[in-house]
Amino acid sequence: MRRSRRLLAAAVAALTTTLLALTPLGGAQVAHAATLFSDDFSGGDLAGWSRSGGTWSVVSDDSPALQQARDGTDARLFAGDASWADQAVQARVKPLTLPGNGLVALLARASGATSYYRLAVLPGDQVRLEAVRSGRVTPLGTVSHPVTVGSWHTLRIEVAGTVVRGWVDGVPVGTGTGTLTATGRIGVQTAYATARFDDVVVTRGDTAPTSAPPTPTATPTVASPSPTASPTDTAPPSSPPPTSPTPTPTGTAPGDGSSVVAPDGSGDFTSVQAAVDAVPTGNTRRHTITIEPGTYREVVSVPADKPYVSFVGSTGDARDVVIVYDNASGTPKPGGGTYGTSGSATVTVDGNDFTARHLTFANDFDEAAHDYSAEQAVAVLTRADRLVFDDVRFLGNQDTLYHNSASVDAVGRAYFRDCYVEGDVDFVFGRGTGVFDRCEIRSLDRGSTSNNGYVTAPSTMIGNPYGLLFTGCTLTTDSAAAQSVHLGRPWHPSGNVDAIGQAVFRDSVLGAHVKDSPWSDMSGFSWRDARFFEYRNSGPGSTVTTDRPQLTDAQASTYTPQRYLAGTDGWNPVP
């Protein structure tokens, strides 16, 4: 029989008060409550788990086990309830691949896809306890412990109030004081690594132990040395320390107005646009619109006179909240004419200091069902400045993400962190300045053996040194043929000779679908006159040829996220 899944809230509450028991623990006495969640994956599926990246499945090991099989990406899987407070999380972990920039981890009290406590197995026999907030890592403790790839190890995190403790194979990793939110789910994670997980158990613990937890049921496969659980200021390879000052918060407005959108009427509004319409014109305070799970089929516009607006998916899983529509450039308008590329957008952002987290923007225009002369179909159009998209999915085909600015003389900056963007032709395009940090950029298959499209089509104005930067990203495909996708081509809107596209792909993993000669001409303009560069990419699609301009080390130091986004006001949203 499969171990029981998440218990009903009422049962948990009752058991928490009636089943507390003191358990001997190496001389210490620790209070433990009923099991909140357990999974040994014997059911063969991922029921009860929600995915954020990666390729997850249940496979056969010494027993059924959870596997994440995609390397070169940051993959997380979450379970449990966002209301969980004090908790003890334990799991068996088997790293399958663990490269120099990789990690395999157990997560506790996750308040979102990028904020949680983490116990991470790192290369070089290092295990580290960390607090991660919006991707920024604070080490809480570390221990040198033999970690064998291909062998099982037991990880355990206990969080009680602000006290966080971790163990690996019964050896203390460290103890720290955390300042993350007081409640959250649990999870597992790999970054640029592959691994298996099994026997995940979550219990409610009202008192954190003062010594090692009970001996794991799975005997460690290696001996454990004496711990040295002292704090360290060194961040793991997958989360490098910031190279600039602490981030400036998006928007400087004090206070926080809020509203809730829910399709069942349980919130303040049933549509996202209605919530935007209710934000005061000329507002000087941030207004957070929390969006409950559902598919919202509507066109949404955030006007220029409504800055400081935030869209936040309530569950922390970007797949749970979808804002979608299906207009294309050639779609007839009710009053005559067609929508055009800009008018096709499902969501248009003209208000400065907009943020979006944990949701999906999509345009599901069906190309096969229509025969329009213009089939560009935009999911999101941005024409504002200082925008942050965190754990957001952008879904479409041609022209998915139109990152623009308010005018040819204006700079529109946006930071895309841990996002997913998919499409085929020119699916990241425009004159905006955009940084894509640790994102998955997925090219869809158009059925060609030689040309399945173009990732970018920047139209950066010649006076702007910074266009599109992809750093630490992974370029993937669903099934496009090898050597069939271009990195980009230069877009000159209306033949504007001053639109000299700028794009850099650096420190990223490029799949085999990327061409050896990845840049292409467009509308009579040569790509060689554009500002296209690469730097230190890896993967089968990263072969350096004479048609692939590379930055020097000195040049690369000026093409960083902070440089792209600083502008004249020093804006820095980068963790």
Side-chain angles (χ1 to χ4, degrees):
M1 289 292 290
R2 187 176 199 170
R3 292 184 183 176
S4 59
R5 291 287 191 185
R6 175 182 155 192
L7 303 177
L8 293 174
V12 170
L15 288 171
T16 299
T17 58
T18 61
L19 298 185
L20 280 170
L22 292 177
T23 304
L25 190 61
Q29 295 290 310
V30 181
H32 288 286
T35 298
L36 297 178
F37 176 94
S38 68
D39 202 346
D40 63 1
F41 305 103
S42 59
D45 58 38
L46 300 182
W49 295 86
S50 60
R51 183 180 70 90
S52 179
T55 301
W56 299 90
S57 62
V58 176
V59 299
S60 177
D61 201 288
D62 52 355
S63 65
L66 172 68
Q67 176 171 289
Q68 199 293 109
R70 181 188 298 174
D71 55 13
T73 191
D74 189 348
R76 288 148 291 181
L77 201 68
F78 297 97
D81 196 299
S83 67
W84 287 352
D86 295 347
Q87 57 189 241
V89 190
Q90 182 167 300
R92 293 198 303 142
V93 176
K94 177 192 282 190
L96 300 178
T97 59
L98 191 61
N101 63 341
L103 65 80
V104 176
L106 182 65
L107 312 179
R109 203 183 277 176
S111 60
T114 58
S115 295
Y116 34 73
Y117 293 111
R118 178 168 70 190
L119 185 59
V121 174
L122 305 172
D125 292 337
Q126 295 290 307
V127 181
R128 184 170 297 144
L129 182 65
E130 303 166 331
V132 183
R133 184 191 297 273
S134 297
R136 182 167 185 165
V137 177
T138 302
L140 301 178
T142 190
V143 66
S144 179
H145 180 80
V147 174
T148 304
V149 171
S151 296
W152 287 101
H153 299 273
T154 298
L155 300 183
R156 181 181 177 89
I157 310 176
E158 297 198 4
V159 188
T162 60
V163 178
V164 188
R165 293 181 170 90
W167 292 263
V168 54
D169 296 331
V171 176
V173 175
T175 300
T177 300
T179 58
L180 300 182
T181 55
T183 60
R185 301 182 294 168
I186 61 98
V188 293
Q189 179 184 18
T190 65
Y192 305 100
T194 59
R196 290 178 180 173
F197 303 85
D198 202 358
D199 298 330
V200 180
V201 180
V202 187
T203 56
R204 168 78 180 270
D206 288 349
T207 304
T210 56
S211 61
T215 302
T217 56
T219 303
T221 56
V222 292
S224 300
S226 299
T228 55
S230 57
T232 174
D233 292 328
T234 304
S238 63
S239 302
T243 58
S244 58
T246 302
T248 302
T250 302
T252 57
D256 183 28
S258 62
S259 57
V260 176
V261 178
D264 62 0
S266 61
D268 303 299
F269 305 95
T270 57
S271 80
V272 178
Q273 187 62 55
V276 173
D277 292 343
V279 175
T281 300
N283 57 301
T284 59
R285 297 176 180 271
R286 179 155 298 282
H287 189 101
T288 299
I289 300 172
T290 300
I291 308 174
E292 296 294 331
T295 297
Y296 298 83
R297 181 161 287 278
E298 57 179 308
V299 175
V300 177
S301 176
V302 181
D305 58 5
K306 294 187 178 184
Y308 308 118
V309 171
S310 294
F311 289 176
V312 180
S314 65
T315 68
D317 187 333
R319 299 174 303 169
D320 291 342
V321 175
V322 180
I323 303 173
V324 59
Y325 211 72
D326 62 351
N327 283 331
S329 178
T331 300
K333 296 173 67 174
T338 59
Y339 283 98
T341 300
S342 296
S344 73
T346 298
V347 176
T348 301
V349 179
D350 287 310
N352 289 342
D353 299 290
F354 173 87
T355 69
R357 290 184 172 87
H358 315 315
L359 46 79
T360 297
F361 298 122
N363 190 316
D364 62 355
F365 171 72
D366 188 346
E367 294 180 344
H370 299 84
D371 189 23
Y372 297 153
S373 60
E375 295 188 337
Q376 298 89 344
V378 177
V380 171
L381 164 62
T382 69
R383 293 185 294 215
D385 193 26
R386 296 185 303 272
L387 314 178
V388 173
F389 297 88
D390 184 3
D391 183 34
V392 172
R393 299 194 309 159
F394 301 85
L395 309 183
N397 287 94
Q398 183 172 354
D399 291 8
T400 304
L401 176 54
Y402 190 176
H403 178 37
N404 219 27
S405 65
S407 68
V408 293
D409 299 320
V411 174
R413 294 165 293 174
Y415 180 48
F416 302 86
R417 177 176 55 223
D418 292 323
C419 291
Y420 171 92
V421 189
E422 73 173 25
D424 42 43
V425 175
D426 307 333
F427 61 97
V428 179
F429 73 110
R431 64 172 173 259
T433 296
V435 172
F436 295 82
D437 188 358
R438 294 165 290 174
C439 297
E440 180 179 355
I441 312 298
R442 176 161 289 239
S443 292
L444 303 180
D445 185 6
R446 295 178 68 84
S448 172
T449 59
S450 60
N451 187 354
N452 281 299
Y454 313 83
V455 175
T456 67
S459 57
T460 324
M461 297 305 294
I462 187 60
N464 183 2
Y466 298 122
L468 303 176
L469 172 64
F470 298 83
T471 179
C473 294
T474 305
L475 273 64
T476 63
T477 183
D478 54 349
S479 56
Q483 296 284 319
S484 68
V485 173
H486 299 82
L487 290 180
R489 56 183 181 170
W491 181 37
H492 292 257
S494 302
N496 188 339
V497 295
D498 292 328
I500 308 296
Q502 199 277 335
V504 172
F505 288 82
R506 62 172 298 169
D507 303 300
S508 295
V509 180
L510 311 186
H513 60 294
V514 175
K515 285 177 169 285
D516 284 345
S517 297
W519 307 104
S520 178
D521 300 342
M522 186 176 187
S523 302
F525 290 92
S526 171
W527 71 264
R528 297 182 185 277
D529 295 328
R531 295 169 286 173
F532 293 156
F533 298 99
E534 295 179 73
Y535 180 71
R536 289 186 177 178
N537 293 319
S538 61
S542 65
T543 303
V544 177
T545 70
T546 56
D547 287 332
R548 304 184 78 152
Q550 304 288 314
L551 295 173
T552 66
D553 290 345
Q555 290 172 325
S557 67
T558 67
Y559 290 91
T560 64
Q562 291 83 3
R563 289 288 189 95
Y564 269 70
L565 299 175
T568 59
D569 57 4
W571 186 54
N572 179 23
V574 183

